[in-house]
Amino acid sequence: MFSMLLTYSIQAIVILLVIFTVLRNNRKKIGRGSLSLLLSLLGMAVSFEFGDYIFGDQLLSFLGMPAWSNPVNNTRFHYTIFVSSILFIPSFIIGYKNPKDFGALIGKWISIIYLSLIVISLLFFMISCLSE
């Protein structure tokens, strides 16, 4: 319950940061660094739950892969974490290398926040598996 509340709170904060950054008076050019924002938004979309619909689950299903390590009752490890990581890692690298382009800075910070949460979640998952 706590991890779900934390995840939704951070996602809401990140969305607000993106909105406020876009609304500010922008004088930066659109370039390669702008891909950082796009990739980070796609990474967030993969991990969002829209009612009973999770885009990452549908994407994995389309590729013929299970979304959970125990697909019978959707428990254990959720594989969409890897799909979102595939999007967040390049987003961070692009934002780091092109900081002067539009959206690069916020894309880099979104990626840092989400990748940190993914690493922390993986650590908690490994600890819980060891204690069983």
Side-chain angles (χ1 to χ4, degrees):
M1 178 69 174
F2 174 75
S3 65
M4 186 169 54
L5 181 64
L6 180 65
T7 302
Y8 288 137
S9 299
I10 290 178
Q11 287 175 348
I13 290 169
V14 168
I15 289 171
L16 289 174
L17 285 173
V18 169
I19 291 170
F20 288 132
T21 302
V22 171
L23 292 178
R24 283 191 309 184
N25 189 7
N26 181 27
R27 301 195 191 288
K28 294 183 177 184
K29 66 180 176 96
I30 294 179
R32 288 185 208 150
S34 301
L35 284 174
S36 176
L37 181 60
L38 177 66
L39 288 172
S40 63
L41 291 174
L42 286 173
M44 286 181 2
V46 166
S47 61
F48 269 124
E49 182 176 341
F50 305 100
D52 290 337
Y53 182 82
I54 301 173
F55 179 66
D57 289 359
Q58 297 301 320
L59 182 63
L60 287 172
S61 175
F62 176 74
L63 295 173
M65 300 169 62
W68 294 88
S69 60
N70 184 3
V72 175
N73 55 0
N74 291 345
T75 57
R76 302 289 295 161
F77 190 74
H78 200 196
Y79 292 133
T80 58
I81 199 166
F82 294 122
V83 176
S84 61
S85 294
I86 289 170
L87 295 167
F88 286 129
I89 291 170
S91 172
F92 170 72
I93 293 169
I94 292 169
Y96 180 76
K97 289 189 175 189
N98 304 296
K100 294 186 179 183
D101 292 340
F102 172 75
L105 184 64
I106 191 70
K108 180 180 82 169
W109 279 105
I110 290 171
S111 299
I112 288 171
I113 291 168
Y114 269 87
L115 287 171
S116 300
L117 288 173
I118 288 170
V119 168
I120 291 168
S121 298
L122 284 173
L123 288 173
F124 281 126
F125 179 75
M126 288 189 306
I127 290 170
S128 70
C129 285
L130 290 174
S131 65
E132 289 180 1

